[in-house]
Structure formats: C-alpha cells, structure tokens
Amino acid sequence: LHFLHARQRVEVGPADAARLRLRHGAQMLVLDETGASVVAEVALRDTTPPGTAFLERGLAEQGANALRGQTVTIVPIPEPQPEPELDAAVEEALA
C-alpha cells in the first residue's frame, strides 16, 4: 500500500518551469528565507499563475506547514551520477 503514502508536490506553471529549468516529476528542494525546507516533486500545471508555487499542507512528512517564511526558492536536487570507476567495472564484468 506504499502508493497510498502522500508525497509532496510543488505545482508550478509552464513559464516558471521553463525559466527555472524544472521538469515534470523532478525532485526539488523548496526553501524559505528562514532556512526551512521540504523536498517536493515538480508538477507542471497550466492553471498555476506565473510567479507562484503551490505545496500541500498537513502531510505526515515534507508538509508545506514546515515552511515559515513568506517566500520560497525552488532548487533542483542533482540526480546521482554514476561513478566512472563503477561504470568501468560493470563494463569489464559484462565483457
């Protein structure tokens, strides 16, 4: 029943997503000016007004109520990159 566990989403409009280089489904860190943060998955919504982002409150984990400031910054979480040594070892093992 893992699919029933609510996860945080940050809903942004397409114009803001393009400007911030966000892609639908990517993991982002949403920070406020106090240093509080939540991790959220980007959800592109045509109806989200430019310059705004919507988060869900009241989630058991990563709820928007953890943010206390007036404004937020959305920062991409880099996707893990494979280690070159590991890639070489895998290629060698498959050869």
Side-chain angles (χ1 to χ4, degrees):
L1 297 176
H2 180 68
F3 65 92
L4 292 177
H5 180 72
R7 296 184 189 162
Q8 184 58 271
R9 291 184 315 218
V10 56
E11 297 182 3
V12 296
D16 287 330
R19 180 177 54 81
L20 297 170
R21 295 187 174 144
L22 305 177
R23 64 178 174 74
H24 185 81
Q27 294 291 308
M28 299 289 140
L29 185 64
V30 182
L31 302 148
D32 70 13
E33 68 271 14
T34 71
S37 66
V38 296
V39 174
E41 183 176 296
V42 173
L44 299 181
R45 300 285 184 255
D46 291 332
T47 57
T48 303
T52 62
F54 293 102
L55 294 160
E56 292 185 54
R57 295 181 63 104
L59 298 177
E61 296 176 4
Q62 304 295 327
N65 43 312
L67 302 173
R68 302 286 181 220
Q70 297 295 313
T71 60
V72 297
T73 301
I74 301 171
V75 180
I77 297 174
E79 294 183 16
Q81 299 297 316
E83 297 179 29
E85 302 83 29
L86 184 59
D87 284 347
V90 169
E91 286 179 25
E92 186 177 316
L94 295 175

